[in-house]
Each structure stands twice: as structure tokens, then as C-alpha cells.
Amino acid sequence: MPRSERPKIGASVLARKVRKKLGEILVGDGVVEESAIATCETEARESGKRLGEVLVEKGFATEIQVGSGLARQAGMDFVDLGTAEGSGLVDLSLVDEEIVRKHCVIPLSSDSGRLRLLVHDPMDLEMLDLLRFRLPQEFDLVVGVKSQMMDWIGEGGAATVGGGGGEAGPDSIDVTVDKSVDSSVDSSIDSSIDVDAGDSKIVRLVNELIVEAVRGRASDIHVEPRDDRVELRYRIDGVCHVRQSLPKRNQSAILARLKLMSGVNISERRIPQDGRIKLPIDGAQVDFRVSTCPAYHGESVVLRVLRPDSVQIGLPSLGFEPDNLELFNKIIRRPNGIFLVTGPTGSGKTTTLYSALNVLNEPNRKIITAEDPVEYNFNGINQVQVRESIGLTFPLILKAMLRQAPNVVLVGEIRDREVGDIAIQAALTGHLVFSTLHTNDAPSAITRLVDMGIKPFLVASSIQAIMAQRLIRVLCPKCKRLDPNPDRKLLSLVNISEEEIAGGEIHEAVGCAACNGNGYRGRMAIFEMMVMNAEVRELAFERASISKIREAAIRGGMRSLLGDGKLKILRGITTPVEVARFAQIEGFDPSEIGAA
């Protein structure tokens, strides 16, 4: 059959091409009698085996005859690896060994340059979907004999992962449902939906995408139903990348599997739900915070990847310049007062505060946190999760916490006046309080608290420091290079002079295999640290404008987000485009310079 006429991989195409049953084909070829087909079909139904397997076991047909019949049934070529011609086509170097051994497929050489895969069951649509997910290129299918293929791969090879490298593979993942979000959800799971069978291809597919995302440094996994497909996206270094489109027919099973793993109600599709998953991947325990939300084409599911090592990397690795790091260490060791970290969602506020708690977590200090939700678990720290559904709110937790005689208190977020008032009272009565706010910069936090209704003199007297932060991408160390002709207009926007250009090391993003062609690998923060000195406190008490507070803070030694980013540009850590995107520069238009 000409290659252009071969069917593409997919259920609808295969369904159109199938005209006869396997039994009819073999009877028509004179291989098997109709009575034998009827007997074997009955046994196949009772045992759950394929008809071809039963025919071979009973001796009514050979594996080659069955394989040839399957190939004709699907409209594909058949290759006999037992012949010199067939074995000469095998080229195992074309596909990663893990895929060959795990999925029991054999790559074949091709004159056209298009990948050909030898499979023993062309009707296994779930396996074909897995291959489409794992392989970056398109491919054609060719039918072979399983026993011959196993001889090439190695006995038992199809049941192993990664060529025996010792890493936990997708089939061996032990899923743990974290019931800390809501212990009542388990009783409402619809047990009639069997998506947890050990041999389910959907289980393997979901495990594959989770493992791949973790190994690819993704911070979020987005599973988003569309009109004709299920789109899978990974957020890596703050940017979403489309990974694959999965078949629409698998949507219900994929979503049910994810919901079952996270311990939420599978049958509930009308309201958002939150859950958690714990998985051992590559020797480390990885937590996932799962959120479902009903959308037009089906429930959207997002898995936030929570790596425990991300809050144990040490304060210097967060991106602090030496002077800010010294100041930060002094502030978090003060006996009382409030330290606020501000920034938009996803700017690393939680990681910064957890890193601070990790430094302070010693036997001589009692630390209590109120969080919504608890993202990382710490030994030695009392962490309380907000549960609005039962009335366990931030104010209630805070009032109870203060009766526990803590030294350090972390409040996940100051959302309203009541929480703010209690946090301030805690600070004024001898506690060190950490919390977050959603403001654009450090000076705006003072105005935000006053706008909530908190009295200015309480704000001025209780706050020790406010730090704004953003996450910027870091240039890939393997492929970054000096920019021979940096954009002068862009450099002027980030306040880099000609003298600084000459004395600095301004680099540009290139792209290589290590960074998946992006030019960036990893992120770090830029900071704006505002210490409440006498002048800033006086302005806060007087309800001064944000601009006046900013001017006073700069006179007191505060370096802006732009100034902190500028230092990282001149040291070749990041690019002017990255800093301009996040440092709130007036007049900066990313579209004019092609910023992603």
C-alpha cells in the first residue's frame, strides 16, 4: 500500500478502515474453519483474551497468520522479523530505549524518513495514544508478531521502565491521596467508575504526563478540555507550553483518574473542588495541589507541583543581592513586628516566607502558621489550614494561635481588616508576624492596609519592613552568550547607561537542548526591600501618597525592583527584556521588541 494511503493513528480512522473481523479474514484465507472461530470467540469472551491469542494457543493458527490477518484488518503492512528482510529493517536507535521496552514497539528504518513503528496489536488504541503522547514526531504503524518482537527487545523488557535505570516509572507510582484538604470527600467517590485498574492505559497515560512534567521542571500541569480534544499544557519558568493534545474520547477517563487520585468527588462536575496528591517520583516525594473548575467543554484541572526542595534551597539562591540578604536576615530575627512580602500571584512570596521559616525553625522557637492552603509541610512547625466550610477562618485561627504562646506567626495573606487588626495586635504584643499582600510594590502596601480600615498609627508602629518581589527567568548557562549589539532603547528603559554597557556583561538568550530551546532555565527573584525608618513611619501616619513614601524609602536606601533587576542584567544572569517585563516600566511595550 502506498504510504500516502496508510491510515493515520486514531480511533475514527481505524474504525473506517476495518471492514472485516479477524475471524472472517482467516476463514476467507482458508486458515481456520468457521466452527473453530466460533469456539475460540466464545473462549475469548469468557477469558478476556484476544481472539488471535486463543487461536494460537489452540493451535488453529500460527502467530504469523494471525499477525498478517490483523495487518490486513487494519489496512497496514506486516513485517516478519523471522526473515532476513524483516530483521534488516530494525533500527532501535530511532526511538528511546525506555519507550521501546515499556510499550513493546520496535522502530523500523524507512526510505522516506518518516518513523515506522512495529506493533503487535494495531487495535490497541489506548497504547497508540500513549505513543503519540511520548513521541515528538508523527509515525506510521506496521504489524508484527509479539514473540518475535520480545526476542528483539529482551525477555520481560516490555514490563520494565527506563532500561532498568532504577528510577520509579509511571507504572510503578504509588499514589497517596492527601485527605488533609477535606477528609469527607472519600465517602462520596463514585466507585462504579473503574479508572483505577492496575492495567488501565488511562492510569499509565496520566502517570506518564505527571512524571514528564516533574522531570521537565513544570510548576503547573494544565488539563483543559476543548471542543475536539483535551489540551495539555505545562507551565515552565512561568511560561505555559502546549505539550500535547489528547483524544476527546479519553476526556472523561482522564478527568476521573485525576479526581480519584486527588481524593475529590468524581461524580461532582458542577462546582470547583480542591484536592491533593502525593507521589514518589525519582526517589523524592512530590506533592500536587489539585484544582478542578467546571468549564464549557468539561472540567478544567490544574495540578500545582509542590517540591519540598524548593523551600530548602537557601536564602542566597532566591536571588538576594548581598546587602538585601544581610538586611533580610536581620529583619527575620527581630523579636516582634510585621514583615510583609508583596507581589502578584505566582511571584514566589510563599517560597520566600517558607525559606525564612526554615532558617528560624529551631527548638528554641515556637512557630505557628495559618495558611489557605498548606503548601509545604515542615517538621517542627505547627501548620493550620483554613477551612471556610466549617468556619475555620483566618481570624478564628489567629485568635487561637495567640493563646498558644508562639514566637513566630505566619498568616498566609492579610485579606481584610479583621485579619489585619489581629496581625497588628500580635505584632504589638511581642510576636514576629510574617504575611503577604497583593500589591504592585512595597510602598503601596501601606496604602492598601489603610484602605482596609486599619488605623494609620497602627500600621506605622507595627510594620518592620515590606518587601516586594517578582520572578524573572534566568539565562541558560549552557547556551547564553554575550550580546554584541544590545538594544539601546531597551537598555535605556532599564536605566543602563553606555558606561555600564561597556563595563558590564550583557547577555542574550540563545536556546539549546538543556533549556528546550527557550534560552532560559530556572527563575530567581528581584526584590524591593523597604525598611520602616522614622521618615517612612511619619509619612505612613500622615497618610502620605505612595510617591512620597517611595521617595523617602529610596532616600533611606531602598533599591527598586528595576534597580535590583539591573544588577542581574549587568552580571549576565538575565536579559533586559525579562527585567522590563516585570519591573513596571512605563512606556515598555513587549510587542515592539518581540518579548515573549
Side-chain angles (χ1 to χ4, degrees):
M1 175 184 294
R3 191 171 306 281
S4 61
E5 297 178 10
R6 287 181 185 151
K8 293 182 179 179
I9 300 168
S12 60
V13 175
L14 287 176
R16 289 197 302 269
K17 296 297 291 184
V18 173
R19 292 292 180 266
K20 290 183 178 181
K21 294 182 179 179
L22 175 62
E24 294 174 350
I25 293 174
L26 295 178
V27 170
D29 290 346
V31 175
V32 185
E33 298 291 336
E34 287 189 21
S35 58
I37 292 292
T39 301
C40 291
E41 283 180 340
T42 301
E43 183 170 335
R45 283 193 297 270
E46 293 175 351
S47 64
K49 295 180 180 179
R50 300 273 189 176
L51 174 61
E53 292 181 73
V54 178
L55 287 170
V56 173
E57 289 176 0
K58 295 293 184 181
F60 290 117
T62 66
E63 283 189 289
I64 291 178
Q65 289 171 331
V66 171
S68 178
L70 286 172
R72 290 173 57 192
Q73 184 186 34
M76 299 175 183
D77 290 340
F78 175 76
V79 170
D80 182 358
L81 294 180
T83 65
E85 181 183 2
S87 61
L89 296 173
V90 176
D91 187 352
L92 296 177
S93 66
L94 295 175
V95 174
D96 186 77
E97 180 186 359
E98 177 190 351
I99 296 176
V100 171
R101 295 171 66 84
K102 177 175 174 54
H103 299 292
C104 191
V105 297
I106 292 181
L108 304 178
S109 59
S110 171
D111 295 335
S112 68
R114 183 181 173 93
L115 179 63
R116 293 200 300 163
L117 290 180
L118 190 68
V119 298
H120 61 83
D121 185 0
M123 307 309 294
D124 188 348
L125 301 181
E126 302 292 354
M127 184 271 290
L128 301 184
D129 288 336
L130 280 169
L131 290 174
R132 292 180 62 200
F133 174 77
R134 293 295 306 277
L135 294 172
Q137 70 270 53
E138 293 185 359
F139 53 87
D140 295 321
L141 291 184
V142 182
V143 181
V145 174
K146 184 175 182 179
S147 62
Q148 294 177 347
M149 296 171 64
M150 294 298 290
D151 288 340
W152 272 93
I153 296 172
E155 185 175 355
T160 64
V161 179
E167 296 180 344
D171 283 336
S172 62
I173 289 179
D174 180 20
V175 179
T176 301
V177 177
D178 188 343
K179 302 292 176 54
S180 63
V181 178
D182 189 345
S183 59
S184 66
V185 297
D186 191 53
S187 61
S188 61
I189 290 177
D190 184 358
S191 59
S192 65
I193 302 178
D194 182 17
V195 294
D196 200 26
D199 59 349
S200 170
K201 299 298 193 302
I202 291 297
V203 172
R204 292 171 56 193
L205 175 60
V206 171
N207 289 347
E208 289 269 5
L209 68 90
I210 290 176
V211 171
E212 182 186 60
V214 171
R215 290 175 178 171
R217 302 181 302 105
S219 60
D220 299 273
I221 304 170
H222 298 259
V223 182
E224 301 169 322
R226 305 296 189 211
D227 181 39
D228 57 348
R229 67 192 187 282
V230 179
E231 190 167 86
L232 175 66
R233 297 195 291 170
Y234 297 156
R235 186 179 296 277
I236 301 173
D237 295 335
V239 179
C240 274
H241 301 272
V242 176
R243 172 58 184 88
Q244 181 66 285
S245 292
L246 304 174
K248 186 72 173 178
R249 66 174 180 275
N250 290 339
Q251 175 177 314
S252 297
I254 291 171
L255 297 181
R257 173 61 182 168
L258 288 170
K259 292 168 74 174
L260 181 64
M261 292 171 70
S262 58
V264 302
N265 187 348
I266 291 180
S267 60
E268 179 57 74
R269 300 178 179 88
R270 301 164 298 172
I271 59 175
Q273 299 186 80
D274 296 311
R276 288 181 83 106
I277 305 171
K278 291 182 179 179
L279 299 177
I281 299 177
D282 295 342
Q285 192 76 12
V286 182
D287 285 7
F288 299 84
R289 194 176 76 205
V290 183
S291 171
T292 72
C293 184
Y296 186 77
H297 294 297
E299 288 177 286
S300 171
V301 180
V302 177
L303 287 76
R304 167 65 62 88
V305 184
L306 304 174
R307 295 179 176 83
D309 57 353
S310 66
V311 292
Q312 298 174 351
I313 58 176
L315 293 175
S317 300
L318 295 178
F320 283 105
E321 297 297 323
D323 55 343
N324 272 345
L325 179 59
E326 182 181 358
L327 187 57
F328 184 86
N329 274 309
K330 288 180 179 178
I331 291 169
I332 65 174
R333 286 176 170 81
R334 291 183 180 179
N336 56 57
I338 296 179
F339 178 53
L340 292 176
V341 180
T342 75
T345 301
S347 59
K349 301 186 298 295
T350 300
T351 298
T352 299
L353 288 180
Y354 275 173
S355 297
L357 291 184
N358 203 38
V359 172
L360 298 176
N361 188 14
E362 297 175 351
N364 62 347
R365 289 191 184 92
K366 178 162 184 175
I367 303 174
I368 307 179
T369 73
E371 305 172 63
D372 184 19
V374 173
E375 294 194 355
Y376 300 94
N377 179 256
F378 285 91
N379 290 325
I381 295 179
N382 300 286
Q383 296 172 269
V384 184
Q385 178 159 310
V386 172
R387 292 179 64 183
E388 300 277 357
S389 60
I390 61 172
L392 190 60
T393 61
F394 270 123
L396 184 64
I397 295 172
L398 279 172
K399 291 175 183 177
M401 285 166 59
L402 297 181
R403 293 193 290 270
Q404 298 277 312
N407 300 104
V408 180
V409 172
L410 183 145
V411 183
E413 180 185 351
I414 296 179
R415 297 177 176 177
D416 52 39
R417 176 179 176 176
E418 185 177 11
V419 175
D421 281 337
I422 299 173
I424 286 175
Q425 290 303 318
L428 294 176
T429 53
H431 303 88
L432 179 61
V433 180
F434 295 121
S435 192
T436 69
L437 270 179
H438 288 282
T439 62
N440 290 328
D441 55 21
S444 299
I446 293 176
T447 304
R448 176 81 178 97
L449 292 172
V450 173
D451 289 344
M452 285 183 184
I454 301 173
K455 296 178 180 179
F457 78 90
L458 291 175
V459 174
S461 59
S462 62
I463 293 179
Q464 296 289 342
I466 303 170
M467 185 175 75
Q469 69 176 70
R470 299 289 190 279
L471 290 178
I472 58 171
R473 291 183 293 176
V474 175
L475 283 166
C476 174
K478 293 187 178 295
C479 65
K480 71 175 183 179
R481 67 186 179 197
L482 285 170
D483 191 346
N485 187 28
D487 188 326
R488 260 47 182 186
K489 178 181 178 181
L490 183 58
L491 292 176
S492 66
L493 284 175
V494 294
N495 292 338
I496 295 180
S497 65
E498 289 293 333
E499 292 77 13
E500 289 172 321
I501 295 173
E505 294 184 358
I506 299 173
H507 287 67
E508 63 179 346
V510 179
C512 65
C515 59
N516 293 322
N518 297 319
Y520 299 91
R521 184 176 175 85
R523 290 189 292 175
M524 69 167 46
I526 53 175
F527 299 100
E528 181 177 86
M529 178 80 77
M530 184 179 78
V531 178
M532 296 289 286
N533 57 29
E535 184 180 5
V536 174
R537 291 186 192 279
E538 183 66 26
L539 290 172
F541 178 75
E542 295 173 354
R543 296 194 178 195
S545 65
I546 295 174
S547 60
K548 288 186 177 180
I549 295 174
R550 170 171 286 280
E551 291 170 1
I554 291 174
R555 285 194 296 271
M558 182 185 81
R559 183 167 54 246
S560 67
L561 290 170
L562 176 59
D564 205 50
K566 174 181 170 180
L567 295 178
K568 292 174 173 60
I569 294 171
L570 294 173
R571 294 212 308 274
I573 295 174
T574 190
T575 60
V577 172
E578 275 297 293
V579 173
R581 288 174 62 202
F582 294 103
Q584 302 171 327
I585 299 175
E586 292 186 12
F588 172 65
D589 183 359
S591 63
E592 291 183 1
I593 56 173

